[in-house]
Every structure is written in C-alpha cells, then in structure tokens.
Amino acid sequence: MHSDNAAAVDATTFWEDRYGDAGPIWSGRMNPALADALPRLGGGAGARALDLGCGEGGDAIGLASAGWQVTAVDISGRALVRASRAAVTAGVDERIAWVRADLSTWTTGASFDLVSACFLHSPVAFPRVEVLQRAASLVAPGGHLLVVGHAHMPPWADEHAHDVHLPSASEQVAELALDEASWDVLVAEDRPRLATGPDGSEVSIDDAVVLARRR
Ligand SMILES: C[S@@+](CC[C@H](N)C(=O)[O-])C[C@H]1O[C@@H](n2cnc3c(N)ncnc32)[C@H](O)[C@@H]1O
C-alpha cells in the first residue's frame, strides 16, 4: 500500500502519528491467518519466530504465549511501548525481544523457524517486496514464512488507498520469487474474513495469505 498523498512524509513520522497518543488501534489479538497456521508451524520449546511490523504486539504475544521465542520489529516506538506493556500483562515479555528499526534497511544474522509478516503495508514509501524477500532468507531449513496482506482495501479506508494495487496471494507468491528447489508453497489463498468497520458494521474482506516452508 503506497499512496502519493503520504509519500512526502517519512515512515517514522507517519507511523508515530498513526499510533498517536490515544489507545490501541488494533485488536491486540493474534491475526486469524496466523492463528489458523499455528498448529502446522511446529513451535515448541526454543522455537524462534520473527514478527515483522509487529505493531501493538498481538501476534508476538500470541506466539510467545504458545511457547515461541519471538523477535518483534517495528518502526514505531509508540507501538512497541504498547506491545511491551501488553506482553508484561500477558506474562510473556521475557520471551519477546522488541526491536525498533526500519525494515527497509534492517536485517539480522539470526535465522528463525517462523518469519511472519501480517499486514506489513505502509502508505509511505516502503520497499515491501525487497523486505519480504530478505525476510524469506532468514527462515531456517524446515521453517516457515507467513505473509498475510490485504487483497483489497476495506470500504472505510481513505479514498487514496483504493487507488493502490494490492497483491493477491498468487501475486505475492510471484513477488517473493522463492526458489522452487528450496521451498514448498503450502498455502496461497485469498481468504475472506469478517472485519468490523469504524461504525461497527461487519464487512467481508479478503486477506491474501501465503504460507511457505523451507525444505
Ligand atoms: C498495518 S500495521 C500491522 C500491524 C500488525 N502486524 C498487525 O497485524 O496488527 C503495519 C505495521 O508495520 C509497521 N511498519 C511500517 N513501515 C515500517 C518500516 N519501514 N519498518 C518497520 N515497521 C514498519 C507499522 O509501524 C505498523 O505497526
């Protein structure tokens, strides 16, 4: 997601403003596509997960609660403060390393049994494909890559957002360009989900869900 109206704003400023001073902007719960995939991801003691664009920590906290050691990265310090507080409340903060970084340039020498990127969209300039390809390189043999995006914007998104093409699941697979000799694509599906709009109404929107396993 990238729209010209926001292009002039740098990513840190945009996201710090988006999180604002008020309360949470996300549900605090694990994303349904991750919850759905969880039973097939292995996990168990010592399993390592990387959550890219972790926001207020719903996925990271859910993974830590399921026993994963999580590294959770986001550009927004405000989001990470909320996420860390929620993790303390949930009693899992010790299992999560919160990293404030710009994923446009961030990388690590570590590898992970799960790399998850849920709704890693940004209306400001963001090399999403490059970031996701780099993320795939961080998956350990036998580990999984989960990418979940909006296949289209919900009706309540601002009008500029609707001008932006969002990749379907099959387009995300093409963008990832995973080496067929090393990866099995287990799921590539535009999956309907009921979402609640700002006025409380429920609308079905499609998530583009890709789950791949490194051999
Ligand atoms: C749409 S939110 C999704 C948050 C969370 N994954 C979820 O599903 O609730 C996108 C997140 O990506 C983060 N983000 C956007 N651009 C980023 C960047 N360049 N580096 C790191 N994080 C970024 C934002 O701060 C925000 O928390």
Side-chain angles (χ1 to χ4, degrees), residues 110-133:
S111 61
F112 300 88
D113 304 296
L114 169 67
V115 175
S116 175
C118 287
F119 304 107
L120 185 57
H121 298 290
S122 184
V124 291
F126 181 58
R128 184 170 187 269
V129 174
E130 186 186 311
V131 168
L132 293 177
Q133 289 180 344

Side-chain angles (χ1 to χ4, degrees), residues 11 15 19 26 31 51-55 59 73-76 79 101-104 118-122 126:
W15 283 103
Y19 281 102
W26 313 119
N31 278 298
D51 182 10
L52 298 176
C54 64
D59 286 348
V73 184
D74 204 281
I75 200 167
S76 166
D102 185 344
L103 287 166
S104 305
C118 287
F119 304 107
L120 185 57
H121 298 290
S122 184
F126 181 58

Side-chain angles (χ1 to χ4, degrees), residues 3 20 55 160 186:
S3 60
H160 299 286
L186 307 178

Side-chain angles (χ1 to χ4, degrees), residues 38-211:
L38 205 52
R40 67 201 293 187
L41 298 180
R48 302 146 300 166
L50 174 63
D51 182 10
L52 298 176
C54 64
E56 292 163 336
D59 286 348
I61 292 167
L63 286 166
S65 302
W68 293 75
Q69 292 289 333
V70 184
T71 300
V73 184
D74 204 281
I75 200 167
S76 166
R78 282 179 169 162
L80 292 174
V81 166
R82 285 181 204 162
S84 172
R85 285 190 188 136
V88 170
T89 302
V92 295
D93 197 45
E94 284 182 3
R95 286 204 206 114
I96 306 174
W98 303 104
V99 178
R100 184 179 183 187
D102 185 344
L103 287 166
S104 305
T105 51
W106 182 85
T107 192
T108 170
S111 61
F112 300 88
D113 304 296
L114 169 67
V115 175
S116 175
C118 287
F119 304 107
L120 185 57
H121 298 290
S122 184
V124 291
F126 181 58
R128 184 170 187 269
V129 174
E130 186 186 311
V131 168
L132 293 177
Q133 289 180 344
R134 190 158 55 233
S137 74
L138 302 177
V139 176
H144 292 81
L145 173 68
L146 177 69
V147 179
V148 181
H150 293 296
H152 54 80
M153 291 311 293
W156 53 80
D158 85 56
E159 62 181 285
H160 299 286
H162 293 282
D163 299 337
V164 178
H165 176 73
L166 292 165
S168 64
S170 59
E171 287 171 333
Q172 282 195 155
V173 171
E175 287 177 351
L176 285 165
L178 300 171
D179 176 5
E180 285 180 18
S182 308
W183 289 88
D184 294 309
V185 176
L186 307 178
V187 175
E189 189 180 311
D190 296 330
R191 187 180 293 171
R193 169 173 61 88
L194 274 185
T196 307
D199 63 357
S201 62
E202 285 202 324
V203 176
S204 177
I205 55 175
D206 283 350
D207 292 340
V209 180
V210 174
L211 178 66

